[in-house]
Amino acid sequence: MTNLLLEWVIKCGVMLFILLTAVAYLTFLERKVMSWIQLRTGPNRAGPWGLLTPAADGLKMLLKEDILPTAATKWLYIIAPAISVIPALMTFVVIPYGGTVNLFGRTIELHVTNINIALLYIFALTSLGVYGLAIAGWSSNNKYSLMGGLRSSAQMISYELALGLSIVGVLLLSGSLDLTKIVESQISAWGGYRWNVFLQPLGFPIFFIAALAETNRTPFDLPEADSELVAGYHTEYSGMKFAMFQMAEYLNLITSVSLSVTLYFGGWYGPGVETYPLLGVFYFAAKAFVFIFIIMWIRFTMPRFRYDQLMKFGWKVLLPFAIVNVILTGTMIMILNS
Amino acid sequence: MDQSPSIHYVPILLIFVLAAGLASVIILLSRYVGRHRPTKEKLEPYECGVEPVGSARERQSVKFYLVAMVFLLFDIEIIFLVPWAVIFKKALQDPAFQSLKWVLYGEMMVFMVVLLAGLFYVWRKGILDWSK
């Protein structure tokens, strides 16, 4: 029992450390990718190749003046960044990033915890993130913030429907809400490559587009459309509180790419995993990295949607297609199992 | 790890405590580390340098409320789909369920059609048109 508790404490601590480091370097990577795409050098001053830029950024954020606007509703204004960052940090605990390995003479399963409603848990927590943005927008008592907060809540709840429905296709195929079981169902046939992306050619694009909208990435970055809303819901925030919103955003990005990999791309599976289980962590990270790169690429290539186009696309295109996808998947399973 | 499933929720509590602790530490740090030289202008709501006009808490477009209400209805319907989706394949492969499989399939398809009909009703009513 104490061993198990110790294992959990170590896993949670390591996970937090890795997540926060990943977030710091994602901000760096984002700027580097942007500069490569725009034929610039990008940040290259702090450390070799600019590798210490995230640390310098963090220090700068910490030393910035923490502004508490007079018009704001104080306590809501202060806790709003915490409301958006806490659920974002909590989602990753249920995602399996590897199989089972033997380390230090004991069998360690490469996920922090394994609950049988993992997918519902992730969806519940990512929905909570909306509160952070809406509260931040309202409590700032700034017109730009309020518009940004309202837009982001309307956008996130609209695309959540398509996201939730596209997941139903995966649930039909794997028959479980447990993420480890979903990965196992994908690697149990076709030599380990019966990935859901091949079985859900309509479901995966819906999931991916909706996930982009949920994480407020371009072309769905309406909540902070800088050319019209200054910075959207975090216009009034400065210093570390602003950094917390950025953290939450990148954490949500990590969660959604990990979910794409787990649900549709066989999770941690790849060649050689049976003999060297630790390779699973590498495959998981590599697949997630490819997705992150694609999402950044989209950001620097696509213009932003107009708001009415965004709502129209979510409700009139994605949602009907997601419903049709569930009907098709259900019918196929009915036919194949009769 | 053969313990009861509920013990697997302990790490979630643990990560909640860690995450909440981290968030409070960051907020406290930002309160006490950085410099503070507040002036009246600095603490006013930002409106691109112009003096703020009125309050931000005006009434907002009713569209947002409509979308929120429609979202609630559809989200609850999606939650109804989840248990069906989880058991559907297992039930089809279970010999004891063979007599019920058309009921299991047909009822959900009727439900999905009702869902689509609801969507088209909302569509025709113009709730999804933002430019109007």
Side-chain angles (χ1 to χ4, degrees), chain A residues 8 15 65-66 69-70 73 78 90 113 117 138 141-144 146 150 157 161 165 171 173 175 236 311 316 323 331 337, chain B residues 7-8 15 27 30 35 37 42-43 45-48 53 56-57 60 71 78 81 85-86 89-90 93 105 123 129-130:
Chain A
W8 281 336
M15 188 198 80
E65 178 167 353
D66 182 40
T70 36
T73 308
I78 292 171
M90 285 173 69
T113 186
I117 52 156
W138 186 80
N141 206 349
N142 174 319
K143 290 164 196 105
Y144 297 117
L146 186 63
L150 277 175
I157 60 179
L161 294 175
L165 271 171
L171 294 181
L173 288 168
E236 292 287 336
M311 296 309 267
K316 295 185 179 173
I323 295 175
T331 310
N337 286 290
Chain B
I7 202 168
H8 293 294
I15 196 77
I27 286 180
S30 73
R35 67 167 78 178
R37 283 184 206 151
K42 205 189 270 176
L43 298 184
Y46 177 76
E47 266 177 36
C48 303
V53 182
R57 301 197 176 143
Q60 290 296 325
F71 160 75
I78 291 171
L81 285 177
V86 170
K89 207 170 178 179
K90 273 176 236 154
Q93 287 161 353
Y105 173 74
W123 192 325
D129 294 326
W130 279 71

Short mmCIF file of all heavy atoms in Angstrom, two decimals, chain A residues 8 15 65-66 69-70 73 78 90 113 117 138 141-144 146 150 157 161 165 171 173 175 236 311 316 323 331 337, chain B residues 7-8 15 27 30 35 37 42-43 45-48 53 56-57 60 71 78 81 85-86 89-90 93 105 123 129-130:
data_model
loop_
_atom_site.label_atom_id
_atom_site.label_comp_id
_atom_site.label_asym_id
_atom_site.label_seq_id
_atom_site.Cartn_x
_atom_site.Cartn_y
_atom_site.Cartn_z
N TRP A 8 2.49 6.42 -6.93
CA TRP A 8 1.60 7.45 -7.44
C TRP A 8 2.18 8.84 -7.25
O TRP A 8 2.09 9.68 -8.13
CB TRP A 8 0.24 7.35 -6.75
CG TRP A 8 -0.62 6.26 -7.30
CD1 TRP A 8 -0.54 5.73 -8.55
CD2 TRP A 8 -1.67 5.59 -6.63
NE1 TRP A 8 -1.49 4.75 -8.69
CE2 TRP A 8 -2.20 4.65 -7.53
CE3 TRP A 8 -2.24 5.69 -5.36
CZ2 TRP A 8 -3.26 3.82 -7.20
CZ3 TRP A 8 -3.29 4.87 -5.04
CH2 TRP A 8 -3.80 3.93 -5.95
N MET A 15 5.04 13.54 -13.81
CA MET A 15 4.12 13.98 -14.87
C MET A 15 3.99 15.50 -14.87
O MET A 15 4.08 16.13 -15.94
CB MET A 15 2.75 13.35 -14.65
CG MET A 15 1.81 13.59 -15.79
SD MET A 15 0.13 13.29 -15.31
CE MET A 15 -0.23 14.81 -14.46
N GLU A 65 4.67 43.57 -13.49
CA GLU A 65 3.71 44.10 -12.53
C GLU A 65 2.39 43.35 -12.63
O GLU A 65 1.87 43.13 -13.72
CB GLU A 65 3.49 45.59 -12.79
CG GLU A 65 2.46 46.18 -11.85
CD GLU A 65 2.47 47.70 -11.88
OE1 GLU A 65 3.35 48.27 -12.54
OE2 GLU A 65 1.60 48.29 -11.23
N ASP A 66 1.86 42.96 -11.46
CA ASP A 66 0.61 42.23 -11.39
C ASP A 66 -0.52 43.24 -11.25
O ASP A 66 -0.67 43.87 -10.21
CB ASP A 66 0.66 41.29 -10.19
CG ASP A 66 -0.58 40.46 -10.08
OD1 ASP A 66 -1.07 40.01 -11.13
OD2 ASP A 66 -1.05 40.25 -8.95
N PRO A 69 -7.21 45.46 -11.93
CA PRO A 69 -7.96 46.62 -12.37
C PRO A 69 -9.02 47.05 -11.36
O PRO A 69 -9.63 46.19 -10.70
CB PRO A 69 -8.63 46.15 -13.67
CG PRO A 69 -7.90 44.93 -14.06
CD PRO A 69 -7.38 44.31 -12.82
N THR A 70 -9.22 48.35 -11.24
CA THR A 70 -10.18 48.84 -10.25
C THR A 70 -11.60 48.41 -10.58
O THR A 70 -12.41 48.20 -9.69
CB THR A 70 -10.14 50.38 -10.18
OG1 THR A 70 -9.91 50.88 -11.50
CG2 THR A 70 -9.07 50.87 -9.25
N THR A 73 -14.11 42.56 -10.80
CA THR A 73 -14.61 41.87 -9.62
C THR A 73 -13.44 41.07 -9.06
O THR A 73 -13.05 40.06 -9.62
CB THR A 73 -15.77 40.94 -10.01
OG1 THR A 73 -16.72 41.70 -10.75
CG2 THR A 73 -16.44 40.35 -8.80
N ILE A 78 -9.06 37.08 -9.70
CA ILE A 78 -7.85 36.39 -9.24
C ILE A 78 -7.94 34.89 -9.43
O ILE A 78 -6.97 34.25 -9.84
CB ILE A 78 -7.57 36.75 -7.76
CG1 ILE A 78 -7.19 38.23 -7.67
CG2 ILE A 78 -6.45 35.90 -7.18
CD1 ILE A 78 -7.12 38.76 -6.28
N MET A 90 -4.98 18.44 -14.67
CA MET A 90 -5.48 17.17 -14.12
C MET A 90 -5.82 16.13 -15.18
O MET A 90 -5.91 14.95 -14.87
CB MET A 90 -6.72 17.43 -13.27
CG MET A 90 -6.40 18.03 -11.92
SD MET A 90 -7.91 18.48 -11.08
CE MET A 90 -8.60 16.87 -10.73
N THR A 113 -2.82 6.63 -13.57
CA THR A 113 -3.89 5.84 -12.98
C THR A 113 -4.77 5.29 -14.09
O THR A 113 -4.69 5.74 -15.23
CB THR A 113 -4.72 6.65 -11.98
OG1 THR A 113 -5.65 5.78 -11.35
CG2 THR A 113 -5.47 7.77 -12.65
N ILE A 117 -13.71 4.94 -16.44
CA ILE A 117 -14.48 5.97 -17.16
C ILE A 117 -13.56 7.09 -17.59
O ILE A 117 -13.95 8.26 -17.62
CB ILE A 117 -15.63 6.52 -16.30
CG1 ILE A 117 -15.10 6.97 -14.95
CG2 ILE A 117 -16.74 5.52 -16.15
CD1 ILE A 117 -15.97 8.00 -14.30
N TRP A 138 -15.74 37.91 -17.87
CA TRP A 138 -16.76 38.71 -17.21
C TRP A 138 -16.16 39.55 -16.07
O TRP A 138 -16.48 40.72 -15.93
CB TRP A 138 -17.86 37.80 -16.65
CG TRP A 138 -18.99 38.58 -16.09
CD1 TRP A 138 -20.00 39.16 -16.80
CD2 TRP A 138 -19.20 38.93 -14.73
NE1 TRP A 138 -20.83 39.83 -15.96
CE2 TRP A 138 -20.37 39.71 -14.69
CE3 TRP A 138 -18.53 38.65 -13.54
CZ2 TRP A 138 -20.87 40.23 -13.50
CZ3 TRP A 138 -19.02 39.16 -12.36
CH2 TRP A 138 -20.18 39.95 -12.35
N ASN A 141 -14.36 43.12 -16.44
CA ASN A 141 -15.16 44.32 -16.67
C ASN A 141 -14.57 45.19 -17.78
O ASN A 141 -14.42 46.39 -17.64
CB ASN A 141 -15.31 45.13 -15.38
CG ASN A 141 -16.58 45.96 -15.41
OD1 ASN A 141 -17.21 46.07 -16.46
ND2 ASN A 141 -16.95 46.52 -14.29
N ASN A 142 -14.19 44.51 -18.84
CA ASN A 142 -13.63 45.19 -20.01
C ASN A 142 -14.42 44.67 -21.20
O ASN A 142 -14.75 43.49 -21.25
CB ASN A 142 -12.15 44.80 -20.10
CG ASN A 142 -11.48 45.32 -21.33
OD1 ASN A 142 -12.04 45.30 -22.42
ND2 ASN A 142 -10.25 45.76 -21.18
N LYS A 143 -14.74 45.54 -22.13
CA LYS A 143 -15.62 45.11 -23.22
C LYS A 143 -14.98 44.04 -24.09
O LYS A 143 -15.62 43.08 -24.50
CB LYS A 143 -16.03 46.31 -24.06
CG LYS A 143 -16.96 47.22 -23.30
CD LYS A 143 -17.08 48.58 -23.93
CE LYS A 143 -17.68 49.57 -22.98
NZ LYS A 143 -16.74 50.52 -22.43
N TYR A 144 -13.68 44.21 -24.35
CA TYR A 144 -12.99 43.20 -25.16
C TYR A 144 -12.98 41.85 -24.45
O TYR A 144 -13.21 40.80 -25.06
CB TYR A 144 -11.55 43.62 -25.43
CG TYR A 144 -11.42 44.88 -26.22
CD1 TYR A 144 -10.82 46.00 -25.68
CD2 TYR A 144 -11.90 44.94 -27.52
CE1 TYR A 144 -10.70 47.16 -26.41
CE2 TYR A 144 -11.78 46.09 -28.26
CZ TYR A 144 -11.18 47.20 -27.71
OH TYR A 144 -11.07 48.33 -28.44
N LEU A 146 -15.06 40.75 -22.17
CA LEU A 146 -16.38 40.15 -22.11
C LEU A 146 -16.74 39.51 -23.45
O LEU A 146 -17.21 38.37 -23.49
CB LEU A 146 -17.42 41.21 -21.74
CG LEU A 146 -18.81 40.66 -21.51
CD1 LEU A 146 -18.80 39.72 -20.33
CD2 LEU A 146 -19.81 41.76 -21.29
N LEU A 150 -17.44 35.56 -23.91
CA LEU A 150 -18.71 35.05 -24.45
C LEU A 150 -18.46 34.23 -25.71
O LEU A 150 -19.00 33.13 -25.86
CB LEU A 150 -19.62 36.23 -24.80
CG LEU A 150 -20.41 36.83 -23.67
CD1 LEU A 150 -21.15 38.05 -24.16
CD2 LEU A 150 -21.40 35.82 -23.13
N ILE A 157 -18.69 25.34 -26.36
CA ILE A 157 -19.82 24.43 -26.18
C ILE A 157 -20.35 23.94 -27.51
O ILE A 157 -20.79 22.80 -27.61
CB ILE A 157 -20.94 25.04 -25.30
CG1 ILE A 157 -21.51 26.29 -25.89
CG2 ILE A 157 -20.47 25.28 -23.88
CD1 ILE A 157 -22.62 26.88 -25.07
N LEU A 161 -20.11 19.47 -28.86
CA LEU A 161 -21.11 18.51 -29.33
C LEU A 161 -20.51 17.60 -30.40
O LEU A 161 -20.61 16.37 -30.32
CB LEU A 161 -22.31 19.24 -29.90
CG LEU A 161 -23.13 20.06 -28.93
CD1 LEU A 161 -24.21 20.81 -29.67
CD2 LEU A 161 -23.74 19.16 -27.89
N LEU A 165 -19.76 13.58 -30.06
CA LEU A 165 -20.37 12.61 -30.95
C LEU A 165 -19.33 11.82 -31.74
O LEU A 165 -19.53 10.64 -32.01
CB LEU A 165 -21.30 13.33 -31.92
CG LEU A 165 -22.74 13.50 -31.46
CD1 LEU A 165 -23.49 14.39 -32.39
CD2 LEU A 165 -23.43 12.16 -31.37
N LEU A 171 -16.11 4.61 -29.24
CA LEU A 171 -16.69 3.78 -28.17
C LEU A 171 -17.38 2.57 -28.75
O LEU A 171 -17.28 1.46 -28.22
CB LEU A 171 -17.69 4.60 -27.36
CG LEU A 171 -17.13 5.75 -26.55
CD1 LEU A 171 -18.23 6.44 -25.79
CD2 LEU A 171 -16.08 5.25 -25.59
N LEU A 173 -16.60 1.01 -31.43
CA LEU A 173 -15.61 0.06 -31.94
C LEU A 173 -14.90 -0.66 -30.80
O LEU A 173 -14.61 -1.85 -30.90
CB LEU A 173 -14.58 0.78 -32.80
CG LEU A 173 -15.09 1.25 -34.16
CD1 LEU A 173 -14.09 2.17 -34.79
CD2 LEU A 173 -15.35 0.05 -35.05
N GLY A 175 -15.83 -0.54 -27.36
CA GLY A 175 -16.70 -1.02 -26.29
C GLY A 175 -16.22 -0.72 -24.89
O GLY A 175 -16.47 -1.48 -23.97
N GLU A 236 -7.03 42.02 -19.76
CA GLU A 236 -6.67 42.74 -18.54
C GLU A 236 -5.60 42.02 -17.71
O GLU A 236 -5.19 42.52 -16.68
CB GLU A 236 -7.91 42.94 -17.67
CG GLU A 236 -8.93 43.88 -18.26
CD GLU A 236 -8.48 45.33 -18.20
OE1 GLU A 236 -7.65 45.67 -17.35
OE2 GLU A 236 -8.96 46.12 -19.03
N MET A 311 -19.68 29.51 -36.23
CA MET A 311 -20.85 28.87 -35.64
C MET A 311 -21.57 28.04 -36.69
O MET A 311 -22.04 26.94 -36.42
CB MET A 311 -21.80 29.91 -35.07
CG MET A 311 -21.21 30.69 -33.93
SD MET A 311 -20.50 29.66 -32.67
CE MET A 311 -21.85 29.49 -31.56
N LYS A 316 -23.82 23.42 -38.50
CA LYS A 316 -24.48 22.96 -39.72
C LYS A 316 -23.65 21.99 -40.53
O LYS A 316 -24.15 21.35 -41.44
CB LYS A 316 -24.85 24.17 -40.59
CG LYS A 316 -25.86 25.07 -39.93
CD LYS A 316 -26.29 26.17 -40.86
CE LYS A 316 -27.33 27.05 -40.19
NZ LYS A 316 -27.65 28.23 -41.02
N ILE A 323 -23.34 13.08 -36.38
CA ILE A 323 -24.49 12.20 -36.15
C ILE A 323 -24.52 11.10 -37.20
O ILE A 323 -24.70 9.91 -36.89
CB ILE A 323 -25.81 13.02 -36.17
CG1 ILE A 323 -25.83 13.99 -34.99
CG2 ILE A 323 -27.01 12.11 -36.10
CD1 ILE A 323 -27.01 14.94 -34.97
N THR A 331 -24.41 0.98 -37.79
CA THR A 331 -24.95 0.08 -38.81
C THR A 331 -23.89 -0.92 -39.27
O THR A 331 -24.17 -2.11 -39.42
CB THR A 331 -25.46 0.91 -40.01
OG1 THR A 331 -26.30 1.93 -39.50
CG2 THR A 331 -26.24 0.05 -40.96
N ASN A 337 -21.60 -8.02 -37.25
CA ASN A 337 -21.77 -8.94 -36.13
C ASN A 337 -23.06 -9.74 -36.21
O ASN A 337 -23.47 -10.37 -35.25
CB ASN A 337 -21.71 -8.18 -34.80
CG ASN A 337 -20.31 -7.76 -34.47
OD1 ASN A 337 -19.46 -8.59 -34.16
ND2 ASN A 337 -20.05 -6.48 -34.56
N ILE B 7 -9.89 2.65 -5.68
CA ILE B 7 -8.60 3.12 -5.19
C ILE B 7 -7.83 3.83 -6.31
O ILE B 7 -6.96 4.65 -6.04
CB ILE B 7 -7.78 1.95 -4.59
CG1 ILE B 7 -6.73 2.53 -3.63
CG2 ILE B 7 -7.12 1.11 -5.65
CD1 ILE B 7 -6.07 1.49 -2.79
N HIS B 8 -8.19 3.53 -7.56
CA HIS B 8 -7.49 4.20 -8.66
C HIS B 8 -7.86 5.67 -8.79
O HIS B 8 -7.30 6.37 -9.62
CB HIS B 8 -7.78 3.48 -9.97
CG HIS B 8 -7.19 2.10 -10.01
ND1 HIS B 8 -5.85 1.90 -10.00
CD2 HIS B 8 -7.76 0.88 -10.01
CE1 HIS B 8 -5.61 0.60 -10.01
NE2 HIS B 8 -6.76 -0.03 -10.01
N ILE B 15 -3.40 14.59 -7.74
CA ILE B 15 -3.02 15.56 -8.76
C ILE B 15 -3.83 16.83 -8.58
O ILE B 15 -3.33 17.93 -8.85
CB ILE B 15 -3.18 14.96 -10.19
CG1 ILE B 15 -2.42 15.81 -11.22
CG2 ILE B 15 -4.60 14.89 -10.63
CD1 ILE B 15 -0.97 15.59 -11.22
N ILE B 27 -0.06 32.26 -8.17
CA ILE B 27 -0.82 33.50 -7.94
C ILE B 27 -0.20 34.31 -6.82
O ILE B 27 -0.03 35.53 -6.93
CB ILE B 27 -2.30 33.15 -7.65
CG1 ILE B 27 -2.98 32.74 -8.95
CG2 ILE B 27 -3.02 34.35 -7.06
CD1 ILE B 27 -4.41 32.37 -8.80
N SER B 30 3.05 35.93 -8.01
CA SER B 30 2.85 37.11 -8.86
C SER B 30 2.39 38.29 -8.02
O SER B 30 2.63 39.43 -8.37
CB SER B 30 1.82 36.80 -9.95
OG SER B 30 0.54 36.74 -9.40
N ARG B 35 7.09 44.06 -9.28
CA ARG B 35 6.99 45.41 -8.74
C ARG B 35 5.55 45.89 -8.80
O ARG B 35 4.75 45.41 -9.60
CB ARG B 35 7.90 46.34 -9.54
CG ARG B 35 7.42 46.53 -10.96
CD ARG B 35 8.13 47.67 -11.62
NE ARG B 35 9.46 47.25 -12.05
CZ ARG B 35 10.28 48.05 -12.69
NH1 ARG B 35 9.93 49.28 -12.95
NH2 ARG B 35 11.46 47.63 -13.09
N ARG B 37 3.60 49.50 -9.01
CA ARG B 37 3.51 50.96 -9.03
C ARG B 37 2.20 51.36 -9.68
O ARG B 37 2.18 51.85 -10.81
CB ARG B 37 4.67 51.55 -9.81
CG ARG B 37 5.97 51.54 -9.03
CD ARG B 37 7.03 52.24 -9.85
NE ARG B 37 8.34 51.74 -9.47
CZ ARG B 37 9.37 51.70 -10.30
NH1 ARG B 37 9.23 52.08 -11.54
NH2 ARG B 37 10.53 51.24 -9.89
N LYS B 42 -3.45 53.34 -15.07
CA LYS B 42 -3.00 51.97 -15.35
C LYS B 42 -4.07 50.95 -14.97
O LYS B 42 -4.21 49.91 -15.60
CB LYS B 42 -1.73 51.71 -14.56
CG LYS B 42 -0.84 50.63 -15.15
CD LYS B 42 0.26 50.29 -14.22
CE LYS B 42 1.49 51.14 -14.44
NZ LYS B 42 2.53 50.84 -13.43
N LEU B 43 -4.82 51.26 -13.93
CA LEU B 43 -5.79 50.29 -13.42
C LEU B 43 -7.17 50.42 -14.07
O LEU B 43 -8.10 49.71 -13.72
CB LEU B 43 -5.93 50.42 -11.90
CG LEU B 43 -4.64 50.15 -11.13
CD1 LEU B 43 -4.90 50.20 -9.64
CD2 LEU B 43 -4.05 48.80 -11.50
N PRO B 45 -9.98 49.98 -17.09
CA PRO B 45 -10.14 48.97 -18.15
C PRO B 45 -9.47 49.44 -19.43
O PRO B 45 -9.55 50.63 -19.77
CB PRO B 45 -11.66 48.88 -18.33
CG PRO B 45 -12.23 49.39 -17.08
CD PRO B 45 -11.26 50.38 -16.52
N TYR B 46 -8.83 48.54 -20.13
CA TYR B 46 -8.08 48.88 -21.34
C TYR B 46 -9.03 49.09 -22.50
O TYR B 46 -9.78 48.18 -22.86
CB TYR B 46 -7.08 47.78 -21.66
CG TYR B 46 -6.33 48.03 -22.93
CD1 TYR B 46 -5.31 48.95 -22.95
CD2 TYR B 46 -6.65 47.36 -24.09
CE1 TYR B 46 -4.62 49.20 -24.12
CE2 TYR B 46 -5.97 47.60 -25.26
CZ TYR B 46 -4.95 48.52 -25.27
OH TYR B 46 -4.27 48.77 -26.41
N GLU B 47 -9.02 50.28 -23.06
CA GLU B 47 -9.80 50.48 -24.29
C GLU B 47 -8.95 51.19 -25.31
O GLU B 47 -9.29 52.26 -25.81
CB GLU B 47 -11.09 51.23 -23.98
CG GLU B 47 -12.24 50.26 -23.75
CD GLU B 47 -13.54 50.91 -23.39
OE1 GLU B 47 -13.84 51.98 -23.90
OE2 GLU B 47 -14.26 50.31 -22.57
N CYS B 48 -7.80 50.62 -25.61
CA CYS B 48 -6.90 51.13 -26.63
C CYS B 48 -6.44 52.55 -26.34
O CYS B 48 -6.27 53.35 -27.26
CB CYS B 48 -7.54 51.04 -28.01
SG CYS B 48 -8.05 49.40 -28.42
N VAL B 53 -15.63 54.06 -21.94
CA VAL B 53 -16.98 54.62 -22.10
C VAL B 53 -17.96 53.65 -21.48
O VAL B 53 -18.10 52.52 -21.94
CB VAL B 53 -17.31 54.81 -23.59
CG1 VAL B 53 -18.68 55.44 -23.72
CG2 VAL B 53 -16.26 55.65 -24.26
N ALA B 56 -18.78 47.65 -18.97
CA ALA B 56 -18.75 46.54 -19.92
C ALA B 56 -19.95 45.64 -19.73
O ALA B 56 -20.24 44.80 -20.56
CB ALA B 56 -17.47 45.74 -19.75
N ARG B 57 -20.63 45.77 -18.59
CA ARG B 57 -21.69 44.79 -18.29
C ARG B 57 -23.02 45.25 -18.86
O ARG B 57 -23.99 45.44 -18.15
CB ARG B 57 -21.73 44.57 -16.79
CG ARG B 57 -20.37 44.05 -16.37
CD ARG B 57 -20.33 43.42 -15.06
NE ARG B 57 -18.95 42.90 -14.87
CZ ARG B 57 -18.33 42.92 -13.73
NH1 ARG B 57 -18.91 43.40 -12.67
NH2 ARG B 57 -17.10 42.43 -13.64
N GLN B 60 -26.08 41.49 -23.48
CA GLN B 60 -25.44 40.89 -24.65
C GLN B 60 -26.49 40.27 -25.57
O GLN B 60 -27.64 40.12 -25.18
CB GLN B 60 -24.45 39.82 -24.20
CG GLN B 60 -23.22 40.38 -23.53
CD GLN B 60 -22.39 41.22 -24.47
OE1 GLN B 60 -22.30 40.94 -25.64
NE2 GLN B 60 -21.79 42.28 -23.94
N PHE B 71 -27.26 23.78 -26.71
CA PHE B 71 -26.13 22.93 -26.34
C PHE B 71 -26.52 21.97 -25.23
O PHE B 71 -26.21 20.77 -25.29
CB PHE B 71 -24.94 23.78 -25.89
CG PHE B 71 -23.94 23.03 -25.07
CD1 PHE B 71 -23.07 22.13 -25.67
CD2 PHE B 71 -23.87 23.19 -23.69
CE1 PHE B 71 -22.16 21.42 -24.92
CE2 PHE B 71 -22.97 22.48 -22.94
CZ PHE B 71 -22.11 21.60 -23.56
N ILE B 78 -26.23 13.34 -26.13
CA ILE B 78 -24.98 12.62 -26.42
C ILE B 78 -24.61 11.72 -25.25
O ILE B 78 -24.16 10.59 -25.44
CB ILE B 78 -23.85 13.62 -26.72
CG1 ILE B 78 -24.13 14.30 -28.05
CG2 ILE B 78 -22.51 12.92 -26.79
CD1 ILE B 78 -23.21 15.44 -28.34
N LEU B 81 -26.11 8.47 -25.48
CA LEU B 81 -25.52 7.57 -26.47
C LEU B 81 -24.36 6.76 -25.88
O LEU B 81 -24.08 5.66 -26.35
CB LEU B 81 -24.97 8.38 -27.65
CG LEU B 81 -25.96 8.95 -28.64
CD1 LEU B 81 -25.22 9.78 -29.67
CD2 LEU B 81 -26.70 7.83 -29.32
N ALA B 85 -23.27 2.92 -26.73
CA ALA B 85 -22.09 2.67 -27.55
C ALA B 85 -21.15 1.69 -26.86
O ALA B 85 -20.54 0.84 -27.51
CB ALA B 85 -21.36 3.99 -27.82
N VAL B 86 -21.04 1.78 -25.52
CA VAL B 86 -20.10 0.91 -24.82
C VAL B 86 -20.56 -0.54 -24.85
O VAL B 86 -19.76 -1.45 -25.01
CB VAL B 86 -19.89 1.42 -23.37
CG1 VAL B 86 -19.14 0.42 -22.55
CG2 VAL B 86 -19.16 2.75 -23.40
N LYS B 89 -21.44 -3.58 -29.04
CA LYS B 89 -20.72 -4.67 -29.69
C LYS B 89 -20.76 -5.95 -28.86
O LYS B 89 -21.00 -7.03 -29.37
CB LYS B 89 -19.27 -4.24 -29.91
CG LYS B 89 -18.59 -4.91 -31.07
CD LYS B 89 -17.26 -4.21 -31.30
CE LYS B 89 -16.47 -4.84 -32.41
NZ LYS B 89 -15.20 -4.10 -32.60
N LYS B 90 -20.56 -5.78 -27.53
CA LYS B 90 -20.58 -6.94 -26.64
C LYS B 90 -21.94 -7.61 -26.67
O LYS B 90 -22.04 -8.84 -26.71
CB LYS B 90 -20.27 -6.49 -25.20
CG LYS B 90 -18.78 -6.46 -24.91
CD LYS B 90 -18.54 -5.91 -23.51
CE LYS B 90 -17.62 -4.73 -23.55
NZ LYS B 90 -17.79 -3.80 -22.45
N GLN B 93 -22.45 -9.71 -29.74
CA GLN B 93 -21.70 -10.96 -29.78
C GLN B 93 -22.15 -11.95 -28.71
O GLN B 93 -21.73 -13.10 -28.71
CB GLN B 93 -20.20 -10.65 -29.62
CG GLN B 93 -19.63 -10.02 -30.88
CD GLN B 93 -18.34 -9.29 -30.64
OE1 GLN B 93 -17.91 -9.12 -29.51
NE2 GLN B 93 -17.70 -8.84 -31.71
N TYR B 105 -30.51 -2.07 -31.74
CA TYR B 105 -30.07 -1.27 -32.88
C TYR B 105 -31.14 -0.26 -33.27
O TYR B 105 -30.88 0.94 -33.37
CB TYR B 105 -29.77 -2.21 -34.05
CG TYR B 105 -29.46 -1.51 -35.34
CD1 TYR B 105 -28.25 -0.87 -35.52
CD2 TYR B 105 -30.39 -1.50 -36.38
CE1 TYR B 105 -27.97 -0.22 -36.69
CE2 TYR B 105 -30.11 -0.86 -37.56
CZ TYR B 105 -28.90 -0.22 -37.72
OH TYR B 105 -28.63 0.42 -38.89
N TRP B 123 -32.40 24.59 -36.73
CA TRP B 123 -31.83 25.18 -37.94
C TRP B 123 -32.88 26.06 -38.64
O TRP B 123 -32.65 27.23 -38.94
CB TRP B 123 -31.40 24.03 -38.85
CG TRP B 123 -30.56 24.35 -40.02
CD1 TRP B 123 -30.62 25.47 -40.80
CD2 TRP B 123 -29.54 23.53 -40.56
NE1 TRP B 123 -29.69 25.37 -41.80
CE2 TRP B 123 -29.02 24.20 -41.68
CE3 TRP B 123 -29.03 22.27 -40.23
CZ2 TRP B 123 -28.00 23.66 -42.46
CZ3 TRP B 123 -28.03 21.73 -41.00
CH2 TRP B 123 -27.50 22.43 -42.11
N ASP B 129 -28.28 30.95 -37.23
CA ASP B 129 -27.84 32.02 -38.13
C ASP B 129 -27.37 33.21 -37.32
O ASP B 129 -28.17 33.90 -36.70
CB ASP B 129 -29.00 32.46 -39.05
CG ASP B 129 -29.40 31.35 -39.98
OD1 ASP B 129 -28.50 30.60 -40.39
OD2 ASP B 129 -30.59 31.23 -40.29
N TRP B 130 -26.07 33.48 -37.37
CA TRP B 130 -25.54 34.54 -36.52
C TRP B 130 -25.60 35.89 -37.19
O TRP B 130 -25.54 36.91 -36.52
CB TRP B 130 -24.10 34.23 -36.12
CG TRP B 130 -24.13 33.30 -34.99
CD1 TRP B 130 -24.50 32.00 -35.04
CD2 TRP B 130 -23.90 33.59 -33.62
NE1 TRP B 130 -24.51 31.46 -33.79
CE2 TRP B 130 -24.13 32.42 -32.90
CE3 TRP B 130 -23.52 34.74 -32.93
CZ2 TRP B 130 -23.99 32.36 -31.53
CZ3 TRP B 130 -23.38 34.67 -31.57
CH2 TRP B 130 -23.61 33.49 -30.88
#
